[in-house]
Amino acid sequence: MTTSTPTASTAIPTTDEDPFSAAVLADPLPFQHRLREAGEVVLLERYGVYAMGRYDTVRAALLDWQGFESSAGVGITDFRTEAPWRPPSLLLEADPPHHDAPRAVLSRILGPRALRELAPRWQADADRLVDEVLEQGTEFDAVTSLAEAFPLRVFPDAVGIPEEGRRHLLPYGDHLFNSFGPENFLVQHGAPHIGEHAGWVNEQCAREKIADGGFGDAIWSAADRGDITPAQAPLIVRSLLSAGVDTTVHAIGAVLHAFATHPDAWAMLREDPALARVAFDEAIRLEAPVQTFFRTTTRDIVVGDVLIPDRRKILMFLGSANHDPRRWPDPQRFDLTRDPSGHVGFGMGIHQCVGQHVARLEAVSLVTALARRVESIELIGEPERHLNNTLRAWETMPMRVELS
Ligand code: OVP
């Protein structure tokens, strides 16, 4: 997709639509369809940034980390010309060589081997949560009762942070994900409170706060061994608290919504509980809790027949790529018979979600617990979206289940 002598033959397709408007955030699929149809790369006139919405294009750009860097920030702000609002993440907002050591440390700590002993505990926790919810009745808000309740019950304990103040986690993440977008109504709404939330989050990353035996402790132990520096450790703990809460809440919301609206899929899962894993990845494909991230060009790059100049921001529409009919037949359908692997809901390449095994284990535990007790799931009212500049999320999801 790149050439050594950049040439571009065609004028770049341009749109004045605002992907960060309330209307598009509430219902992004029609906009994403227009974006994919407009071309491989489209100029978002309003912001002076580029956008990619097709699967092949997004995937290729994500794989080309040298041409499309992350270290200028993966939000709309270019860290080389504007100061970031918090110290950059050593993972998300870094590239090789600086990215390598933090990434290697975290991928071992959050890898499938390390999670093996957590799996039976989280399954028991999920079974217990589902029992508690069903004891209260068979009608509930699936967002608060399940999608928020389960990650908040297991993940902060797994990191090893104190109980006190955990109410800061969701609003911190919500504002952080808003802050990757422009300073619109969502950012303005969160800005007055972010100091308080960020202050608490940053304090929990200190060694003295972290309990023995969890992910946080493992990060500090890596610093003791010299795999990372002591100055890097708290920032890597911060990544867990930044990226690990809202994302899994909305992933679980996505999978619950998908099952509630695809009863055939729930019946299949009940027949074969091992489908919980594919259901999770199919829900990530379908809903992409992280909808978008930016990259920044490090030189002039030709994509298709347009030239993206050096040092431009490009918005990668992960959710749109996962709905590209050029790659996915019947993309809107939650289909447990398809192979969703290759979706870009976790990104692709060197930055691909390092926490995905944790997220998958959370979702599989909860879905498995539900499948053990619930015959059918339905919505008993219109679920409401929670708007965020980056996240695809539910605010409420009125649900009724029938026990088996
Ligand atoms: C989805 C992500 C998101 C937000 C923050 C961070 C990572 C971080 O590393 O701080 S990846």
Side-chain angles (χ1 to χ4, degrees):
M1 96 182 207
T2 63
T3 58
S4 48
T5 6
T7 49
S9 51
T10 324
I12 183 160
T14 297
T15 179
D16 65 359
E17 289 196 77
D18 181 2
F20 300 102
S21 66
V24 173
L25 292 174
D27 181 20
L29 297 188
F31 166 78
Q32 291 173 4
H33 171 79
R34 293 190 290 276
L35 181 70
R36 287 189 301 267
E37 291 305 302
E40 279 200 86
V41 183
V42 177
L43 182 63
L44 302 177
E45 210 169 39
R46 182 180 298 255
Y47 299 111
V49 304
Y50 296 77
M52 296 179 175
R54 295 188 191 172
Y55 177 80
D56 287 347
T57 322
V58 167
R59 183 177 180 281
L62 292 175
L63 287 170
D64 181 8
W65 59 267
Q66 289 106 327
F68 295 92
E69 69 175 4
S70 292
S71 42
V74 298
I76 198 166
T77 301
D78 183 347
F79 291 177
R80 301 191 198 289
T81 55
E82 257 186 278
W85 70 272
R86 56 170 210 164
S89 164
L90 302 181
L91 291 135
L92 181 72
E93 296 155 332
D95 288 304
H98 309 289
H99 177 258
D100 299 342
R103 172 77 191 199
V105 162
L106 204 52
S107 68
R108 211 167 342 100
I109 293 170
L110 304 180
R113 291 177 63 97
L115 297 187
R116 268 209 293 257
E117 73 183 85
L118 221 47
R121 280 159 48 194
W122 281 9
Q123 188 58 65
D125 288 334
D127 289 332
R128 209 171 308 123
L129 174 65
V130 167
D131 285 347
E132 286 168 20
V133 170
L134 296 180
E135 207 162 298
Q136 300 295 306
T138 53
E139 296 185 6
F140 48 81
D141 175 17
V143 171
T144 48
S145 297
L146 297 173
E148 292 183 352
F150 188 61
L152 287 175
R153 182 172 290 208
V154 299
F155 185 71
D157 284 345
V159 177
I161 59 167
E163 290 278 344
E164 174 70 29
R166 291 182 181 184
R167 63 183 169 80
H168 291 290
L169 287 168
L170 281 171
Y172 176 75
D174 192 54
H175 184 76
L176 170 61
F177 282 98
N178 277 327
S179 74
F180 295 121
E183 282 190 29
N184 62 1
F185 64 105
L186 292 165
V187 174
Q188 285 159 16
H189 182 80
H193 314 285
I194 189 55
E196 187 199 337
H197 302 313
W200 179 84
V201 165
N202 293 337
E203 283 169 18
Q204 311 318 306
C205 301
R207 162 161 255 165
E208 312 79 69
K209 295 276 184 171
I210 300 281
D212 289 347
F215 300 143
D217 184 39
I219 291 168
W220 277 104
S221 297
D224 293 339
R225 289 193 306 268
D227 295 348
I228 50 171
T229 69
Q232 288 178 313
L235 277 170
I236 299 172
V237 177
R238 192 195 67 176
S239 282
L240 296 185
L241 302 179
S242 301
V245 185
D246 300 64
T247 49
T248 54
V249 166
H250 302 315
I252 291 171
V255 75
L256 294 177
H257 183 264
F259 276 124
T261 54
H262 296 73
D264 55 321
W266 186 255
M268 272 185 76
L269 173 78
R270 294 260 300 163
E271 284 286 310
D272 180 6
L275 286 173
R277 287 175 74 83
V278 79
F280 170 72
D281 281 279
E282 173 66 347
I284 297 295
R285 181 197 66 77
L286 189 71
E287 286 278 302
V290 176
Q291 285 277 298
T292 50
F293 269 137
F294 288 85
R295 291 290 189 264
T296 308
T297 49
T298 59
R299 53 189 164 79
D300 292 357
I301 298 183
V302 173
V303 177
D305 51 12
V306 309
L307 173 74
I308 310 176
D310 186 18
R311 306 246 42 91
R312 295 306 196 280
K313 286 276 177 178
I314 308 103
L315 186 51
M316 309 279 164
F317 281 81
L318 310 177
S320 171
N322 287 346
H323 278 254
D324 187 348
R326 295 163 189 80
R327 169 64 179 80
W328 308 98
D330 201 1
Q332 283 86 285
R333 187 174 149 71
F334 179 65
D335 181 359
L336 300 189
T337 69
R338 88 163 85 225
D339 177 6
S341 62
H343 74 72
V344 293
F346 287 128
M348 190 60 75
I350 66 164
H351 290 285
Q352 193 183 49
C353 182
V354 73
Q356 62 180 284
H357 308 287
V358 180
R360 193 172 288 110
L361 184 59
E362 285 182 31
V364 165
S365 302
L366 187 65
V367 164
T368 301
L370 271 178
R372 286 173 176 169
R373 295 212 46 200
V374 166
E375 168 87 39
S376 66
I377 301 182
E378 63 183 326
L379 298 177
I380 49 170
E382 272 301 308
E384 293 167 334
R385 286 284 174 190
H386 172 81
L387 302 191
N388 183 284
N389 280 337
T390 302
L391 301 169
R392 184 121 169 94
W394 294 107
E395 183 71 37
T396 64
M397 197 184 302
M399 182 170 278
R400 178 191 297 138
V401 298
E402 203 179 298
L403 303 187
S404 47

